[in-house]
Amino acid sequence: PEPTAAWLEGLARDEGEEALERLLPHELLGVGEFSPVEAARAAFRRLGRHFHPDKSASPHSALLFDQLRAALDQFKSGSWRTAQDDDDRRRFFTDAAVVELNRTSHAAAAASEGPLWLVQYFAPWCHQCIANKAYYVLAARRLSQILGDRVRVGALRCGVPRKPGGWCETELGVPEHPTFRALAKGFALELGPSLPQPLLPE
């Protein structure tokens, strides 16, 4: 089957509806965030044929078809961009201790002359990212208590895995999800795929 379809089918089977709701419209459709609307329509037509409930034998076809149709509507209207910040289902980190970064705020963190930033590069379907989420929030709180404003903790949502060479990989050199780094102006320290041991909750 078509790669995006196979990936969505596996996600629905293994993680269920909640995992699908964590995806943004362009992630569901398998297109770039700033792709033209026609590219999103073409992706929906391709995936819609695969998951149409009248044609697909998949037990998840109705769910996936509805999610894809809603994703296309949101992509066309752009409504998800304003709703995203207030939608706890799609914000991976809902605790204020962790700042969800975008490209602009990530660039600002990397050029920071103030606090040192601890940043996790994550994907919302990544099993290890999900498993680490609560620990990362606890680590963020702990750092805030000990170091105050000298350290900030952030997270950057990376592109879909079915599109090799996405922005995180090509522009930032992120090798895998999750990846942890410490950032400041003129300084970048690769911490690898695990939280540094001193930050892990006891």
Side-chain angles (χ1 to χ4, degrees):
E2 195 271 341
T4 301
W7 180 79
L8 287 172
E9 175 74 25
L11 189 66
R13 179 188 64 244
D14 298 336
E15 303 291 340
E17 184 174 359
E18 181 180 350
L20 294 172
E21 289 181 344
R22 288 197 297 265
L23 301 181
L24 299 173
H26 65 281
E27 293 172 336
L28 266 165
L29 294 165
V31 299
E33 181 179 352
F34 300 102
S35 294
V37 170
E38 187 49 47
R41 288 196 183 101
F44 174 76
R45 287 194 295 269
R46 185 176 67 252
L47 292 166
R49 286 194 296 270
H50 187 90
F51 289 118
H52 195 286
D54 294 339
K55 300 178 181 178
S56 173
S58 167
H60 310 290
S61 60
L63 170 64
L64 286 164
F65 188 83
D66 288 346
Q67 292 274 356
L68 288 164
R69 183 165 52 191
L72 178 61
D73 290 342
Q74 292 166 4
F75 189 92
K76 288 191 297 185
S77 70
S79 61
W80 65 274
R81 295 183 188 278
T82 54
Q84 181 187 359
D85 290 340
D86 299 319
D87 189 343
D88 285 350
R89 295 174 307 168
R90 287 184 173 166
R91 263 207 340 259
F92 192 74
F93 290 98
T94 57
D95 193 289
V98 178
V99 180
E100 284 212 15
L101 304 170
N102 55 29
R103 294 189 187 196
T104 302
S105 53
H106 177 271
S112 172
E113 295 183 344
L116 177 76
W117 280 83
L118 174 64
V119 178
Q120 177 185 173
Y121 302 84
F122 73 95
W125 49 83
C126 157
H127 292 285
Q128 191 174 345
C129 300
I130 294 168
N132 281 342
K133 181 164 67 168
Y135 294 116
Y136 196 55
V137 169
L138 289 174
R141 292 175 181 170
R142 181 176 178 180
L143 283 170
S144 178
Q145 290 170 354
I146 297 172
L147 298 173
D149 293 337
R150 286 178 288 173
V151 172
R152 299 291 304 277
V153 177
L156 182 68
R157 185 184 187 115
C158 287
V160 291
R162 59 184 177 276
K163 295 285 185 184
W167 180 72
C168 279
E169 291 77 13
T170 58
E171 299 295 324
L172 302 178
V174 173
E176 59 186 321
H177 304 134
T179 287
F180 297 89
R181 288 177 180 166
L183 301 174
K185 186 174 183 179
F187 175 83
L189 177 64
E190 193 82 21
L191 301 173
S194 301
L195 278 171
Q197 190 64 33
L199 297 180
L200 292 172
E202 298 177 356

